Amino acid sequence: MNPVISPERFFESEDLIDRYQGLTCWLLYSDMHKTLWKFIRENWHAIDEMSGYTCLICVIDSPSSWGDPFWSKANIEPEFGDLLNSKPFNRNDHLKIARSLGVKYNDMPAFVFFPSVRSTEKVLVKIDKYSSYDDLTGTFSSMMDCVKSIFDESRFRSETTYDRNAAIREREQCLLRLQPEINRRRLTSVLKRIVTPTSVLGAAQVAASL
């Protein structure tokens, strides 16, 4: 998982994300999805372990503590006292990103998979059940099992070079296999391909008002 502290900081991760040898997605949720964001903050390490090298999940959120290794990866240092109480990171930026990508608010929370930050084609997977930690444990476990099965069949497994364009092409092929695999496992009631003029990078630019 990749801690994206703001839409602006997302640009600094562009090359890293596009070179990633595995599926990539942005997890869209807001303050309204309280059980989900609490679940992510409290189970970050377990989700990170499940996603492993098979899936890079990007999220915008506020830290539970500055000492958490999750946030040390983002190279953040607290300034002027305890920023944990001042909400320096706004998970509601996901609403702006969703609007730019053509994702309906009613389809949030959701995984949005994309082959490249500049691609205009995305795949949305709605999180249907998120009212309890048990629901979310089942959702994340099933989703990561599905992603792992696709990853295991991909050329990522035997790729020895670290090539950005090759990684993007392989993710495009993985996304083609994602929808039938999710349908076969009956993981969600809403799964659709989104083709809009706006890329994930473009949506982040809108959210950052750049």
Side-chain angles (χ1 to χ4, degrees):
M1 291 178 72
N2 183 39
V4 181
I5 65 172
S6 68
E8 293 91 342
R9 185 62 69 89
F10 182 75
F11 308 125
E12 299 177 17
S13 304
E14 176 184 354
D15 189 61
L16 170 66
I17 292 170
D18 272 359
R19 286 176 176 267
Y20 188 75
Q21 293 192 347
L23 276 75
T24 51
C25 79
W26 202 318
L27 185 57
L28 297 178
Y29 58 98
S30 69
D31 282 346
M32 293 182 289
H33 309 110
K34 185 174 182 178
T35 302
L36 174 57
W37 62 255
K38 287 181 66 178
F39 176 85
I40 291 171
R41 289 173 62 179
E42 294 176 13
N43 297 280
W44 168 267
H45 299 294
I47 298 171
D48 190 40
E49 182 66 28
M50 280 197 298
S51 58
Y53 292 102
T54 64
C55 185
L56 181 64
I57 303 174
C58 300
V59 296
I60 297 176
D61 211 326
S62 55
S64 55
S65 72
W66 287 111
D68 194 312
F70 165 27
W71 292 104
S72 66
K73 293 178 183 178
N75 298 316
I76 308 166
E77 293 293 338
E79 297 176 3
F80 308 112
D82 185 8
L83 290 182
L84 298 180
N85 297 321
S86 63
K87 294 188 69 175
F89 313 115
N90 188 359
R91 67 177 66 89
N92 292 321
D93 282 336
H94 287 145
L95 295 168
K96 300 176 186 177
I97 292 168
R99 185 165 59 246
S100 296
L101 293 178
V103 175
K104 295 179 179 179
Y105 297 142
N106 193 47
D107 287 339
M108 293 177 63
F111 297 96
V112 176
F113 290 89
F114 52 93
S116 165
V117 296
R118 296 182 179 273
S119 174
T120 58
E121 186 167 337
K122 288 78 63 178
V123 173
L124 179 141
V125 181
K126 183 176 181 179
I127 299 176
D128 287 320
K129 298 179 180 180
Y130 54 90
S131 61
S132 72
Y133 275 25
D134 286 343
D135 286 342
L136 290 167
T137 297
T139 294
F140 275 86
S141 298
S142 298
M143 191 69 236
M144 291 304 103
D145 280 342
C146 178
V147 168
K148 185 178 184 302
S149 69
I150 294 171
F151 177 84
D152 287 344
E153 296 173 0
S154 73
R155 289 200 299 268
F156 288 131
R157 298 290 293 175
S158 58
E159 187 68 54
T160 56
T161 59
Y162 197 57
D163 183 273
R164 173 177 178 156
N165 292 330
I168 292 172
R169 288 194 298 270
E170 188 57 31
R171 279 199 296 276
E172 290 172 345
Q173 295 303 309
C174 286
L175 289 184
L176 291 177
R177 298 194 295 271
L178 182 64
Q179 185 164 351
E181 181 66 17
I182 288 177
N183 287 336
R184 184 181 71 81
R185 293 171 182 254
R186 299 179 180 178
L187 297 184
T188 180
S189 62
V190 178
L191 185 149
K192 58 188 176 184
R193 190 171 300 275
I194 303 173
V195 181
T196 63
T198 306
S199 65
V200 171
L201 189 63
Q205 290 175 325
V206 171
S209 299
L210 298 179

